[in-house]
Amino acid sequence: MKKVYVIGTGMTKFGKLEKTGRELAIEAANDAILESGINVRDIEATYVSNAFGIGEEQLHMGPIINGSLGIPEIPSLSIESACSGGSAAFNQAYIALSGGYYDAALVVGYEKLSMNRTPENTKYFAMASDYWYEGMNGVTFPGLYALMASAHMNRYGTTEEMLGSVSIKNHMNGSYNSKAHLQKAIDMDTYLKSPVVASPLKLYDACPFSDGAAAIVLVNEDFNIDRPEKIEVLASARAGSMATLQDREELTGIPGARIATEKALKVSGLELKDITFVEVHDCFTIAEIMALEDIGFFPRGEGGRASLDGLTQFDGKLPVNSSGGLKAKGHPISATGIAQIVEIHDQMLYKVDSHRQVSDPHIGLTHNVGATGGSVSINIFKRSR
Amino acid sequence: MMHSVRDYAPALKRGELLGYHCQSCGREWLTSLNVCPFCSSSKIEDVSLPKKGKILAYTFQNVVPEQLQSKAPYVIAVIELTDKSRIQARIEDYMPSMGNIIGREVGILRGDESGLVFRLS
């Protein structure tokens, strides 16, 4: 397999934005190409992820992006994988480049949701569940994660304060991220008093509905680039779990995350202790705790305690979601998986605010989940000189 | 002949939980799948699942989908039926003063176009 490198990134502000999905996607794509420094004509294919474009009555955005970049003749592929669409698109580009089919590719993820009312967005999100056996009974997306939180708290004694510590940390990191949706620190009292959405989960356990886009330019080793530091993709692994939550043996974790992690570690030849910082899929606070246990950074049932003890702060033993995570940075569905990679890249090049810069951004891992875990992506990156 | 996912809701209205039974390993489940999720056998047949079980996990939802606005707030639970198959359903007679209801026994109350409803027994 050929080595693959991230050589340029672009990311719009995340939040409730005036711009259309089309404008956001093009802005991120253009910024990624400019940062990469390569000639746009060297891009051989574009991988575009979006989940709810139907809300803007616009699907098939790839040709529009390519046309606006002046490369309408190159192929594009549209990819949807619920909240993990961005990393699914990244994975497809990685496969094509590592196999040598293409030498340079553009990956774009974008979402535009803020023009919809909350009930519409709630309905769209529920469509990523198993409708007949979950959504029809009235469970919402927060409800599904609340069921997992309920099982986790019952089995392991995970507490509200443990969930709260995840939210507080991610809000603190997000307050130093100028592109984050929610740039506001919160305290435990604010967290505990926030309204319950689906018990045990409260408003401050949940990520916001965000608009936004992120893009990266990937090249393989055959593409001649000369720069002092490179961000190499050491592994890009995907796996799955039963779509229907109750059909999994365990409700307290996501099996696909464990499987994808095993694959990624095997391919990269790394052990977990080699990983120096991570971006994980914290659509709800419980999801970050389960992610850290699924990947294996902490034993089952101890992820909440680790968070409460500060081990996952940007200056802790294992920095988790230095970007603010989905919780504070925001969650423009299909942009999320790519935005996680943008954070890894920016941390490795010391381009982030010093209040959230991790001390050893040497080997980073991203964990991105589609729906309740039907799809999971794990990617590992290394800064090499 | 195995039932289609489309037959599930009409069966609910008759008060029947239409599921599947694996002739190879004997396990039962509700979700429409063409092979047994436990042993991958395709020798599966229709079965009426038991109407009693216990709660494995639950959430009290204050924010609910538009079509169920009139029933809010309500509890959604993952229930393990007596044959070990698992379902999700609303629990109708829950009161927040009851505290933790994990492990509590429940029975089917009704099923209709708004889904499956159980009650604490």
Side-chain angles (χ1 to χ4, degrees):
Chain A
M1 295 220 301
K2 295 180 189 296
K3 289 184 175 179
V4 176
Y5 302 99
V6 177
I7 61 159
T9 64
M11 183 176 140
T12 67
K13 166 94 175 59
F14 283 4
K16 286 191 193 307
L17 307 174
E18 283 297 313
K19 290 176 182 167
T20 62
R22 175 191 191 121
E23 290 159 335
L24 293 168
I26 291 167
E27 179 183 324
N30 205 36
D31 286 351
I33 289 166
L34 285 175
E35 191 184 84
S36 76
I38 72 170
N39 184 334
V40 69
R41 305 222 155 268
D42 289 332
I43 303 280
E44 293 172 277
T46 305
Y47 296 82
V48 180
S49 184
N50 173 258
F52 301 122
I54 203 158
E56 276 190 309
E57 297 178 341
Q58 179 66 63
L59 302 176
H60 201 212
M61 189 67 88
I64 293 174
I65 295 171
N66 287 348
S68 78
L69 296 173
I71 46 173
E73 68 281 1
I74 69 162
S76 66
L77 181 62
S78 303
I79 291 169
E80 182 270 319
S81 182
C83 311
S84 71
S87 4
F90 171 81
N91 179 256
Q92 286 302 304
Y94 174 81
I95 289 168
L97 268 60
S98 64
Y101 191 79
Y102 298 129
D103 293 337
L106 171 69
V107 188
V108 185
Y110 76 96
E111 216 66 57
K112 175 72 183 180
L113 284 168
S114 64
M115 67 290 183
N116 301 326
R117 295 172 307 123
T118 297
E120 280 173 315
N121 282 334
T122 304
K123 186 175 155 193
Y124 285 154
F125 275 56
M127 287 179 187
S129 74
D130 185 341
Y131 179 76
W132 289 99
Y133 304 103
E134 297 182 311
M136 190 175 83
N137 300 319
V139 76
T140 57
F141 208 67
L144 289 167
Y145 273 90
L147 289 169
M148 293 192 261
S150 159
H152 202 278
M153 291 168 108
N154 190 62
R155 175 154 180 191
Y156 298 116
T158 300
T159 65
E160 274 184 83
E161 284 77 10
M162 290 175 187
L163 298 178
S165 70
V166 173
S167 181
I168 292 163
K169 166 185 68 74
N170 290 349
H171 271 275
M172 180 58 82
N173 290 341
S175 74
Y176 294 109
N177 183 345
S178 61
K179 289 184 173 174
H181 186 160
L182 306 172
Q183 298 175 34
K184 180 182 76 167
I186 62 160
D187 60 17
M188 188 60 89
D189 196 48
T190 307
Y191 166 81
L192 289 172
K193 285 181 179 160
S194 68
V196 173
V197 175
S199 75
L201 301 180
K202 295 181 267 295
L203 184 63
Y204 277 113
D205 286 297
C207 68
F209 292 122
S210 313
D211 303 330
I216 53 182
V217 174
L218 284 175
V219 297
N220 70 14
E221 63 186 55
D222 291 344
F223 192 95
N224 193 20
I225 51 160
D226 180 28
R227 55 185 62 189
E229 287 184 314
K230 291 178 179 176
I231 311 299
E232 184 184 344
V233 186
L234 290 186
S236 178
R238 299 186 73 232
S241 317
M242 288 296 284
T244 326
L245 187 62
Q246 61 267 28
D247 284 344
R248 299 181 197 157
E249 203 157 325
E250 266 303 325
L251 301 174
T252 53
I254 293 174
R258 269 166 271 179
I259 300 161
T261 301
E262 280 168 26
K263 286 190 196 176
L265 291 176
K266 191 175 171 196
V267 169
S268 63
L270 295 174
E271 293 176 47
L272 278 182
K273 64 175 173 54
D274 299 322
I275 310 285
T276 64
F277 70 116
V278 299
E279 285 284 308
V280 303
H281 194 91
D282 59 322
C283 49
F284 299 93
T285 51
I286 186 65
E288 176 166 318
I289 290 170
M290 292 193 302
L292 297 174
E293 294 172 1
D294 287 335
I295 296 167
F297 287 120
F298 303 105
R300 293 250 141 238
E302 291 180 27
R305 169 57 59 187
S307 178
L308 192 61
D309 289 348
L311 302 184
T312 57
Q313 291 174 3
F314 84 98
D315 55 355
K317 187 177 158 216
L318 177 72
V320 178
N321 286 333
S322 58
S323 66
L326 282 62
K327 177 72 205 74
K329 182 180 59 185
H331 182 27
I333 315 303
S334 303
T336 288
I338 299 168
Q340 291 178 324
I341 299 170
V342 173
E343 175 70 7
I344 298 287
H345 172 272
D346 289 355
Q347 283 280 355
M348 286 183 167
L349 298 181
Y350 293 90
K351 287 169 71 175
V352 308
D353 188 298
S354 61
H355 293 89
R356 62 184 187 86
Q357 175 69 54
V358 310
S359 62
D360 178 22
H362 179 55
I363 298 183
L365 177 149
T366 65
H367 159 282
N368 186 201
V369 174
T372 54
S375 299
V376 185
S377 286
I378 299 279
N379 298 308
I380 304 178
F381 303 86
K382 182 187 177 192
R383 187 186 63 209
S384 53
R385 289 195 164 82
Chain B
M1 187 62 188
M2 274 193 305
H3 69 274
S4 150
V5 68
R6 285 190 305 272
D7 303 323
Y8 166 67
L12 270 189
K13 285 186 194 171
R14 301 193 302 267
E16 185 184 4
L17 257 180
L18 195 51
Y20 301 89
H21 171 257
C22 175
Q23 293 170 287
S24 301
C25 75
R27 291 287 297 262
E28 296 180 356
W29 68 94
L30 181 67
T31 316
S32 178
L33 303 165
N34 288 328
V35 297
C36 172
F38 303 100
C39 75
S40 299
S41 166
S42 52
K43 287 185 190 164
I44 55 182
E45 60 187 359
D46 286 352
V47 68
S48 285
L49 297 178
K51 295 177 177 176
K52 286 186 175 175
K54 62 172 185 180
I55 293 177
L56 295 184
Y58 73 100
T59 175
F60 192 47
Q61 282 190 177
N62 287 315
V63 181
V64 308
E66 220 161 13
Q67 74 274 17
L68 287 167
Q69 215 53 259
S70 65
K71 301 185 191 300
Y74 52 75
V75 162
I76 292 277
V78 172
I79 298 163
E80 184 170 272
L81 301 176
T82 52
D83 64 351
K84 301 286 179 196
S85 61
R86 290 175 176 189
I87 61 161
Q88 264 183 51
R90 293 203 303 282
I91 303 293
E92 190 156 276
D93 53 350
Y94 169 82
M95 307 275 279
S97 60
M98 289 174 177
N100 188 351
I101 53 169
I102 291 179
R104 289 278 296 268
E105 292 191 353
V106 289
I108 192 168
L109 185 62
R110 64 169 187 278
D112 55 32
E113 60 288 336
S114 76
L116 185 54
V117 184
F118 271 57
R119 71 193 301 176
L120 292 156
S121 45

